[in-house]
Amino acid sequence: MRNLVLILGDQLDADSPALAAADPEHDLIWMAEAAEESTHVWSHKQRIALFLAAMRHFRDHLRDQGFTVDYTELDAPDHGGSLSSELSRAIEKHRPEKVVLVEAGEYRVQHSIEGTCNRLKTPVEFLDDTHFLCSIDDFRRHAEGRKSLRMEFFYREMRKRHGILLDDGKPAGGDWNYDRENRKSFGKDGPGEIPEPTRHEPDEITREVLELVERRFPGHPGSLDTFHWPVTRRSALARLRSFIDDFLPNFGDFQDAMWADRPHLYHSLISSSLNLKLLHPREVIKAAESAWREGKAPLAATEGFIRQILGWREYVRGIYWLHMPDYLERNALGADQPLPDFYWTGRTPMRCLSQVVGQTLEFGHAHHIQRLMVTGLYALLLGVKPKAVHEWYLAVYVDAIEWVELPNTLGMSQFADGGVMASKPYCASGKYIQRMSNYCKGCPFDPAKRTGDQACPFTTLYWDFLLRNQPQLEGNPRMSMQLRNLQRISDEEKSAIHDQADRLRADPAASHAVDLWF
Ligand code: FAD
Ligand code: SF4
């Protein structure tokens, strides 16, 4: 046999360069399920099921294409438990001339494969990942010589390089960014009718996987009852089509809005399909731009959506590979609290958090502002260790893969990288959540109060966060307005805020309010 062509669980791309270079007659495709990938950090049941079901469908697709696929299932007898143990066994069994794969998305996996092949003295070739629109080397070149990196400049370069939303070389409509139009809340009347996202009922292969996951991982978080994620390219394309037709026109306006018991609103729910590489970002961007050019979606919504994919998604990957492996250990604000237990149960009287954690456990999904300005914000304000926050986000979302999750969590949401990802901490009081959602109605707390029994924990902790971190944040011009407001608070009240924040750190679920609630 010539090459062992390794396909990882998040490389389910039929046009992958590893497959393009493979010869069905002489090369063997190798794929393996490994329990370690679901246990090295804890993992939501839907996340495990999604990977396994998508991998098994892809295996069958490759066999239909004429490839020979050596595939190890999780329950195979003598399974070594990890990717590296199975790869060692495969190399010893097949004795390939070379192992070929697309560069891994995750630092840990890349190094483990390299280590295994070196140990067994088998050459390994990593191919550039053509799924992304900016290669790791291109990002390094973009970063070279810049004192600080900002997504917005990177995004403009990407628009120009790929000719996206341009008219005669200028940004369509005259502006690069229409974010100011994309921050509406639903107001008093709420979201009204929103179409249901397409559901992908599990077929036989997926049903088998769901049973396997229930049997092998019974103690893992989340439920499989609502599993409806696309696990094939065909179903991912159907979800993309339905988003473009039914949701994109309102995506922009309500991108940051939240509403109780309405978990998905106008969001696309395609992140897991993109991250498994069932969809290519280029086709997603093209579909959105075409909808705008055909008059089916407004420019602000289209630009806002494209920015997430062409801008943020490519940018966070660049940051990940630029700063790993040290990035994982960063803790610029010296946060040292444990992650509150209710992040695994949703049991807290704080309605925003019980809603967002609840939907996370139910679906393995929450949208960006829920992740950033509810679960992420509370951890930031409380001072939770960034690595513990990172492990939670990596565990609970179906789209979680370290290259995208880590910079978003540790950098954007916890400011643990000291400003690499974001120019200032995303810190706000409960009033932000009140403005963008209806969560505060029916919550025992009052977002306007910072001390006292009814004080909203976000609000107390926000002021405490500013007081605690004032020396470090003072040099940041983007924080000056927020810090100036501290001058309006008396020393007596500052001390009361400090005491109340200490009580919250001892009881982070704010369970003292259960009495207020009933
Ligand atoms: P939509 O709101 O419809 O957005 C469209 C697409 O844009 C998404 O599918 C996604 O591919 C991309 N996108 C949007 N925002 C970002 C972003 N900040 N970074 C990268 N891509 C983005 N996204 C992940 O894919 N995996 C993660 O593990 C992940 N962890 C996150 C952790 C935190 C703390 C935060 C604040 C954000 C995280 N995100 C992550 C980004 C974002 O929240 C999700 O991509 C989005 O909620 C997925 O839902 P959707 O497909 O409906 O997205
Ligand atoms: Fe959340 Fe505070 Fe609003 Fe309650 S009052 S829902 S805790 S922001």
Side-chain angles (χ1 to χ4, degrees), residues 80-93:
S82 69
L83 195 63
S84 58
S85 62
E86 286 309 293
L87 179 59
S88 301
R89 205 206 310 242
I91 292 175
E92 277 159 2
K93 180 171 156 202

Side-chain angles (χ1 to χ4, degrees), residues 196-501:
E196 277 295 306
T198 46
R199 291 183 60 86
H200 303 281
E201 294 307 330
D203 63 5
E204 202 183 323
I205 295 177
T206 304
R207 281 198 302 276
E208 247 175 49
V209 166
L210 295 178
E211 276 165 31
L212 170 70
V213 172
E214 205 58 271
R215 180 162 41 82
R216 281 288 299 266
F217 305 98
H220 280 237
S223 137
L224 290 168
D225 296 348
T226 61
F227 188 93
H228 60 268
W229 297 103
V231 293
T232 61
R233 175 159 167 77
R234 181 197 282 258
S235 53
L237 281 171
R239 171 144 302 166
L240 171 63
R241 192 68 261 154
S242 114
F243 168 73
I244 298 286
D245 293 345
D246 298 333
F247 300 83
L248 177 61
N250 289 306
F251 172 85
D253 279 356
F254 302 115
Q255 200 176 328
D256 289 359
M258 303 176 275
W259 203 260
D261 301 321
R262 304 291 291 268
H264 308 311
L265 299 168
Y266 290 102
H267 291 272
S268 65
L269 307 179
I270 58 164
S271 49
S272 60
S273 304
L274 277 167
N275 297 351
L276 294 180
K277 305 197 175 119
L278 297 173
L279 292 176
H280 195 287
R282 197 189 310 277
E283 70 191 328
V284 175
I285 291 168
K286 201 166 158 230
E289 178 164 359
S290 302
W292 167 64
R293 293 209 181 270
E294 288 160 19
K296 294 177 185 160
L299 179 58
T302 307
E303 187 282 313
F305 178 71
I306 288 178
R307 179 157 20 94
Q308 308 310 314
I309 295 171
L310 183 66
W312 280 113
R313 188 167 183 271
E314 299 282 335
Y315 182 73
V316 299
R317 175 176 182 253
I319 295 281
Y320 177 81
W321 284 104
L322 201 58
H323 293 286
M324 278 300 278
D326 306 351
Y327 201 73
L328 198 52
E329 304 303 327
R330 299 234 184 145
N331 187 358
L333 298 176
D336 59 0
Q337 295 296 305
L339 187 81
D341 290 346
F342 75 81
Y343 272 64
W344 299 105
T345 62
R347 265 181 242 123
T348 166
M350 290 179 278
R351 190 161 181 246
C352 53
L353 278 160
S354 74
Q355 281 276 325
V356 175
V357 175
Q359 92 170 54
T360 296
L361 295 174
E362 189 175 355
F363 301 106
H365 185 269
H367 67 71
H368 187 68
I369 288 300
Q370 294 175 312
R371 296 186 205 195
L372 185 64
M373 299 308 285
V374 180
T375 40
L377 176 61
Y378 196 66
L380 170 76
L381 299 180
L382 201 60
V384 178
K385 281 186 222 115
K387 210 166 175 183
V389 187
H390 149 64
E391 287 177 356
W392 183 78
Y393 277 96
L394 193 56
V396 295
Y397 291 109
V398 290
D399 55 27
I401 302 185
E402 194 179 83
W403 66 263
V404 51
E405 174 279 326
L406 184 66
N408 269 301
T409 302
L410 198 122
M412 190 189 296
S413 127
Q414 302 301 297
F415 203 66
D417 63 8
V420 175
M421 269 290 285
S423 54
K424 71 187 261 300
Y426 279 90
C427 58
S429 74
K431 284 187 182 170
Y432 174 85
I433 294 173
Q434 184 182 38
R435 191 164 66 248
M436 296 311 296
S437 75
N438 68 341
Y439 292 148
C440 302
K441 277 193 181 163
C443 178
F445 300 110
D446 179 349
K449 294 201 168 122
R450 47 193 173 213
T451 54
D453 274 356
Q454 285 184 316
C456 162
F458 280 83
T459 303
T460 308
L461 290 169
Y462 166 70
W463 292 103
D464 175 70
F465 176 86
L466 293 182
L467 287 166
R468 276 192 295 122
N469 294 297
Q470 189 171 10
Q472 195 162 343
L473 299 176
E474 237 153 17
N476 184 334
R478 294 205 59 214
M479 285 304 294
S480 52
M481 208 159 80
Q482 277 171 291
L483 290 173
R484 216 174 304 128
N485 289 330
L486 285 175
Q487 292 164 8
R488 298 202 204 135
I489 304 179
S490 68
D491 286 348
E492 200 184 15
E493 198 186 350
K494 282 180 184 162
S495 163
I497 289 170
H498 180 73
D499 291 347
Q500 184 141 347

Side-chain angles (χ1 to χ4, degrees), residues 120-248:
L120 297 174
K121 301 194 175 23
T122 307
V124 56
E125 185 183 2
F126 290 99
L127 305 174
D128 276 356
D129 192 343
T130 52
H131 169 85
F132 291 95
L133 299 169
C134 179
S135 72
I136 294 171
D137 284 343
D138 278 347
F139 192 85
R140 273 188 219 287
R141 277 191 283 278
H142 166 85
E144 247 162 35
R146 287 176 198 257
K147 263 215 250 135
S148 64
L149 292 173
R150 286 297 158 248
M151 198 289 288
E152 188 62 31
F153 299 118
F154 168 77
Y155 166 60
R156 289 179 194 182
E157 261 184 40
M158 292 290 282
R159 290 262 299 270
K160 287 187 221 156
R161 193 190 307 165
H162 293 282
I164 290 164
L165 287 182
L166 296 183
D167 284 329
D168 298 327
K170 301 259 166 31
D175 283 328
W176 289 105
N177 181 320
Y178 292 87
D179 217 12
R180 62 188 177 279
E181 295 177 34
N182 289 345
R183 292 196 188 119
K184 295 199 181 99
S185 66
F186 289 113
K188 276 204 300 290
D189 299 334
E193 282 287 304
I194 300 179
E196 277 295 306
T198 46
R199 291 183 60 86
H200 303 281
E201 294 307 330
D203 63 5
E204 202 183 323
I205 295 177
T206 304
R207 281 198 302 276
E208 247 175 49
V209 166
L210 295 178
E211 276 165 31
L212 170 70
V213 172
E214 205 58 271
R215 180 162 41 82
R216 281 288 299 266
F217 305 98
H220 280 237
S223 137
L224 290 168
D225 296 348
T226 61
F227 188 93
H228 60 268
W229 297 103
V231 293
T232 61
R233 175 159 167 77
R234 181 197 282 258
S235 53
L237 281 171
R239 171 144 302 166
L240 171 63
R241 192 68 261 154
S242 114
F243 168 73
I244 298 286
D245 293 345
D246 298 333
F247 300 83
L248 177 61

